Amino acid sequence: EAPATDLGGNLNGGFQSAGVVVHFGFPAKKGQKLTFTAVTRSQGSPTDLLMGLLNAKGAKLAEAEDSGTQDGVLTYTFPADGKYFLAVEDLHQRGGQAFAYRVVYSSATPAFALTATADHVNVPAGGTAAVVVKAKIGRAHV
């Protein structure tokens, strides 16, 4: 059974031996959008992290790995409430003490919204203008 994970932080680990695949389990809601960002080579790790998003039955929904010298990014909108898994592995099935990884994950839903009383404002040089800006602060969907 994969460990349950609180969304909105980091997953840290390493591949101590070759061929290891690690699964992280988490709940998601229909319409929830999450972004998973690999952090390996940018931190000096030789890991070429392959991330796969799976449903509760193990079917692959999406996959991402690095692009050139950039670590991989996976953004996904979930089609239904349920349990999902993020599978991580070294693309070349390598392992050892140096093969560390980090996955930064967060809700792609903004935690706040701004509205203003005017769509645009023309202010003459040296002039001023007053615009009311309202902030609606709420917890991002988790």
Side-chain angles (χ1 to χ4, degrees), residues 32-109:
Q32 183 178 9
K33 187 175 184 179
L34 294 177
T35 297
F36 301 88
T37 304
V39 181
T40 55
R41 288 194 246 166
S42 62
Q43 297 297 311
S45 173
T47 303
D48 189 353
L49 196 67
L50 175 63
M51 298 183 290
L53 196 57
L54 312 173
N55 66 17
K57 295 181 180 180
K60 190 171 285 183
L61 304 172
E63 185 174 83
E65 63 121 349
D66 66 7
S67 175
T69 59
Q70 299 296 314
D71 288 327
V73 177
L74 176 62
T75 299
Y76 188 79
T77 302
F78 294 87
D81 290 359
K83 186 168 185 178
Y84 294 88
F85 298 91
L86 179 70
V88 295
E89 62 186 293
D90 182 78
L91 180 66
H92 306 291
Q93 301 298 304
R94 299 168 299 172
Q97 205 166 23
F99 287 84
Y101 65 85
R102 172 179 289 149
V103 177
V104 178
Y105 57 100
S106 62
S107 175
T109 304

Side-chain angles (χ1 to χ4, degrees), residues 114-121 130-134:
L114 299 176
T115 57
T117 56
D119 290 335
H120 60 282
V121 178
V131 176
V132 176
V133 177
K134 293 182 181 181

